[in-house]
Amino acid sequence: MSLQSEIDRRRTFGIISHPDAGKTTLTEKLLLFGGAIQEAGAVKSNKIKKGATSDFMEIERQRGISVATSVLAFEYKGIKINILDTPGHKDFAEDTFRTLTAVDSVIVVIDVAKGVEEQTLKLVEVCRMRNIPMIVFINKLDREGKDAFELLDDIEQKLGLTVTPMSFPIGMGYDFKGIYNIWEKNVNLFSGDSRKNIEETINIEDINTPELNELIGDTAAEELREEVELVTEVYPKFNQEEYLNGNLQPVFFGSALNNFGVRELLDCFVEIAPTPRPKESDTRLVRPEEKEFSGFVFKIHANMDPKHRDRLAFIKIVSGTFNRNTPYLHVRNNKKMKFSSPNAFFAERKEIVDVSYPGDIVGLHDTGNFKIGDTLTQGEKMQYKGIPSFSPEHFRYINNADPMKSKQLGKGIDQLMDEGVAQLFTLELNGRKVIGTVGALQFEVIQYRLEHEYTAKCTYENLNVHKACWVDIKNSDKDELAEFKRVKARFLAKDKQGQLVFFADSSFTLQMTQSKFSKVKLHFVSEF
Ligand code: G4P
């Protein structure tokens, strides 16, 4: 098959949701349709379950699952689908943000009873900023929930999306009868009382046919007609270009647990979802169909076995073909590297692959050469853009608790930071090290992993920082910057790349600083 036809048959996406909306269940149902797994229950939830076990055991369990479910690949109707797993727990949100740099589209799962929740909001915002095409799946229709129109309003207002319903529920909760599929113009009905199976798919060319009344009863049929009429009046018609540009979001209704509305979602997805998209580098826009290989690291996973220090770097292929045992340029290190056993991922296994195409993810064994965001090319010196660090929300001094192991501690911290577990800052004033994380859980992860993988011990000390802001030296006024540095000397640090960072201890300080030094540009993400 030619490179172009391999590109054309690939869809790489992520499923995002607030925890418990049904991401794992939907993933599993998609894999079942693709024949990648044989039974429900095969996909383990990557949720952090609090309570039952101690936190670090839970973290290790989660890490084990997260390597197994990092990429779930399957084929459906000749299309190769790669689902990139995103952690639902908010403390790992940064991991999810990074994974979103490697997807070409997303499916957003929303619980019909809960509507738009906090995590959904944050994740959708990131997707919106990047114009990632999104499809919305409203789940758990077998339960009592919000009115469909109310939900669509909620999605438009809170998430800032422009929705176009592709299906519409017939009743809800106890009265849920099935789905009218606007996209395919057919009706799917629940069978009997069990609410477990789709009775049959009945094609309805015209929603006004009396057949609909016979199928679902006069009242439900009338109601559905009115609702569908309202849908066509109120919402824009589906337009693929608008969807691909991130300006229009198709919405489906269903119940992942009951396998309802999932096939419709998948059928539409393979038809409309984007093939691997071009990606911006620091020198130019790179297109997937270019012959020369290029890709970037969006995730690094440390070996679960502390005796083996090697790690798995996950590369998204952006252009050309990636071949086993072929030398590629590691741009940041300006070093050629060959990979003898690149891994491809499937639902329940990984295996060595000889060749991979744009959209695919390969796992490369790494002994410490890779960092998140690193670019591999066939020789071209360019760096992919767009894996920013966000301002952490928790900050602590990190101290060495075992003076005999300072080397191990340094190495451990270094490698954990390369993996993207947290961010390291060095205070300008006294050279003290500060760890910044998105969630409080990461401090436990770091302490536990330093001890178990690097035999190093650390302690933490609280530090009162509200936000870290990156200082844009190039675009700031020189004199004002010099004054800012003098006045704020105690609050300045360098990140791992050597960029200047300002620690604001409260939102008030931040506001005051911004108004006093209005010509000093501050940013909340590391790339600007
Ligand atoms: P997540 O990955 O987004 O966190 O959610 P997950 O799929 O684990 O689903 C969360 C809970 O919601 C699970 O129940 C799951 O069975 C349930 N669920 C998912 N889809 C539907 C649906 O369409 N209808 C209904 N009624 N429930 C649904 P749980 O009791 O928390 O877990 P489990 O013991 O059933 O696995």
Side-chain angles (χ1 to χ4, degrees):
M1 235 190 272
S2 69
L3 173 61
Q4 189 61 55
S5 43
E6 290 290 357
I7 294 169
D8 290 345
R9 69 181 207 96
R10 273 167 172 74
R11 308 282 184 277
T12 300
F13 77 107
I15 303 180
I16 55 175
S17 72
H18 191 84
D20 274 346
K23 179 171 76 76
T24 312
T25 314
L26 179 64
T27 307
E28 190 165 270
K29 293 298 150 87
L30 294 175
L31 292 173
L32 278 167
F33 273 111
I37 53 169
Q38 308 312 323
E39 55 184 332
V43 178
K44 298 279 177 296
S45 167
N46 66 6
K47 263 180 287 186
I48 302 266
K49 290 189 180 137
K50 284 252 176 193
T53 46
S54 74
D55 279 342
F56 15 87
M57 288 316 289
E58 194 49 41
I59 288 158
E60 284 299 281
R61 185 192 71 87
Q62 196 266 352
R63 280 214 305 139
I65 290 166
S66 100
V67 74
T69 59
S70 285
V71 189
L72 299 159
F74 66 98
E75 299 236 351
Y76 181 73
K77 295 187 169 173
I79 302 288
K80 165 125 193 256
I81 297 173
N82 297 313
I83 307 181
L84 305 197
D85 192 34
T86 54
H89 195 286
K90 73 175 178 13
D91 283 10
F92 293 88
E94 185 123 17
D95 226 26
T96 301
F97 294 148
R98 284 192 293 257
T99 299
L100 291 179
T101 63
V103 302
D104 297 305
S105 71
V106 300
I107 293 180
V108 186
V109 182
I110 288 174
D111 183 323
V112 70
K114 301 207 172 119
V116 171
E117 295 173 88
E118 189 197 336
Q119 276 301 96
T120 336
L121 238 141
K122 282 193 189 159
L123 295 169
V124 166
E125 197 180 327
V126 173
C127 296
R128 239 188 27 224
M129 266 158 44
R130 301 215 166 114
N131 299 323
I132 299 177
M134 287 181 252
I135 294 179
V136 179
F137 182 73
I138 298 178
N139 190 28
K140 307 195 185 181
L141 262 288
D142 56 313
R143 284 197 185 160
E144 288 300 329
K146 297 188 190 206
D147 169 72
F149 287 106
E150 201 184 306
L151 260 170
L152 293 170
D153 268 2
D154 207 34
I155 293 169
E156 290 212 310
Q157 277 163 22
K158 290 199 186 131
L159 298 179
L161 304 181
T162 307
V163 299
T164 172
M166 303 292 254
S167 69
F168 211 79
I170 308 172
M172 190 179 286
Y174 186 75
D175 290 326
F176 184 40
K177 295 188 171 59
I179 303 264
Y180 176 65
N181 194 335
I182 301 173
W183 173 248
E184 290 174 1
K185 288 207 172 52
N186 59 20
V187 176
N188 280 348
L189 299 176
F190 257 144
S191 69
D193 286 334
S194 77
R195 302 187 167 229
K196 285 277 178 249
N197 297 305
I198 300 159
E199 189 168 68
E200 54 188 322
T201 300
I202 300 149
N203 261 306
I204 304 247
E205 282 301 326
D206 177 5
I207 196 171
N208 292 317
T209 168
E211 205 189 331
L212 187 67
N213 298 51
E214 282 161 36
L215 285 168
I216 61 175
D218 289 337
T219 323
E222 264 328 299
E223 224 170 76
L224 179 67
R225 283 182 193 120
E226 278 169 25
E227 285 169 338
V228 170
E229 197 181 321
L230 200 58
V231 166
T232 39
E233 271 170 22
V234 173
Y235 298 100
K237 254 183 116 158
F238 174 72
N239 173 311
Q240 189 163 13
E241 210 177 302
E242 292 287 303
Y243 155 69
L244 291 177
N245 291 333
N247 297 327
L248 185 66
Q249 288 74 29
V251 178
F252 285 86
F253 291 84
S255 162
L257 189 66
N258 296 300
N259 233 344
F260 218 88
V262 180
R263 187 195 57 76
E264 290 77 0
L265 172 73
L266 185 58
D267 280 344
C268 178
F269 173 83
V270 291
E271 210 166 304
I272 67 170
T275 55
R277 304 206 298 170
K279 192 168 170 72
E280 200 68 60
S281 78
D282 57 354
T283 55
R284 64 190 189 85
L285 184 73
V286 182
R287 301 190 175 279
E289 58 277 9
E290 292 180 21
K291 284 215 166 52
E292 297 214 336
F293 157 75
S294 69
F296 66 97
V297 179
F298 66 94
K299 178 183 186 123
I300 292 178
H301 208 288
N303 200 316
M304 296 291 289
D305 180 354
K307 283 187 223 103
H308 297 100
R309 197 59 72 65
D310 69 329
R311 311 183 292 184
L312 210 52
F314 290 80
I315 313 266
K316 159 94 184 277
I317 298 174
V318 178
S319 67
T321 50
F322 174 90
N323 294 294
R324 188 153 84 101
N325 281 325
T326 305
Y328 292 119
L329 180 68
H330 182 308
V331 178
R332 182 175 54 86
N333 288 352
N334 195 20
K335 205 169 87 181
K336 288 260 169 153
M337 296 174 83
K338 265 205 277 202
F339 304 94
S340 59
S341 50
N343 281 299
F345 303 88
F346 299 93
E348 286 171 298
R349 68 200 150 87
K350 58 184 189 337
E351 60 186 46
I352 292 172
V353 277
D354 288 322
V355 48
S356 307
Y357 300 93
D360 284 342
I361 310 298
V362 286
L364 304 178
H365 288 280
D366 171 40
T367 48
N369 290 306
F370 285 121
K371 263 195 335 200
I372 301 257
D374 275 346
T375 302
L376 277 181
T377 68
Q378 215 156 308
E380 186 173 345
K381 293 202 168 142
M382 62 167 184
Q383 185 75 36
Y384 278 113
K385 294 213 273 195
I387 307 208
S389 299
F390 290 80
S391 173
E393 289 175 17
H394 304 263
F395 298 82
R396 288 184 199 172
Y397 285 118
I398 183 163
N399 301 320
N400 186 2
D402 182 352
M404 304 295 287
K405 297 281 175 66
S406 63
K407 227 172 124 184
Q408 284 87 335
L409 184 75
K411 183 166 182 187
I413 293 178
D414 235 33
Q415 295 209 342
L416 293 182
M417 299 306 125
D418 285 354
E419 262 180 53
V421 177
Q423 294 175 57
L424 181 73
F425 303 95
T426 309
L427 278 183
E428 291 271 87
L429 193 70
N430 52 17
R432 286 191 74 179
K433 306 271 187 231
V434 173
I435 300 269
T437 67
V438 173
L441 210 53
Q442 264 95 342
F443 290 109
E444 275 181 64
V445 177
I446 293 165
Q447 203 164 32
Y448 177 81
R449 289 190 55 196
L450 281 174
E451 197 170 332
H452 288 80
E453 291 168 37
Y454 300 89
T455 66
K457 283 202 170 84
C458 74
T459 56
Y460 297 117
E461 230 176 284
N462 277 337
L463 176 69
N464 183 28
V465 177
H466 163 69
K467 261 206 157 69
C469 317
W470 280 267
V471 185
D472 187 345
I473 298 200
K474 235 168 58 195
N475 295 309
S476 295
D477 177 85
K478 252 198 183 139
D479 296 334
E480 205 171 294
L481 184 65
E483 177 63 5
F484 168 80
K485 281 187 180 172
R486 193 185 64 76
V487 175
K488 298 290 178 191
R490 279 175 52 222
F491 305 97
L492 294 179
K494 288 265 167 75
D495 73 2
K496 240 182 133 232
Q497 278 67 45
Q499 291 196 93
L500 190 66
V501 173
F502 166 59
F503 284 167
D505 56 13
S506 67
S507 61
F508 178 70
T509 312
L510 185 59
Q511 260 181 16
M512 293 299 286
T513 310
Q514 278 172 321
S515 67
K516 188 168 172 208
F517 298 100
S518 58
K519 291 180 196 152
V520 173
K521 291 263 167 302
L522 299 176
H523 300 273
F524 299 108
V525 283
S526 65
E527 264 194 28
F528 38 83

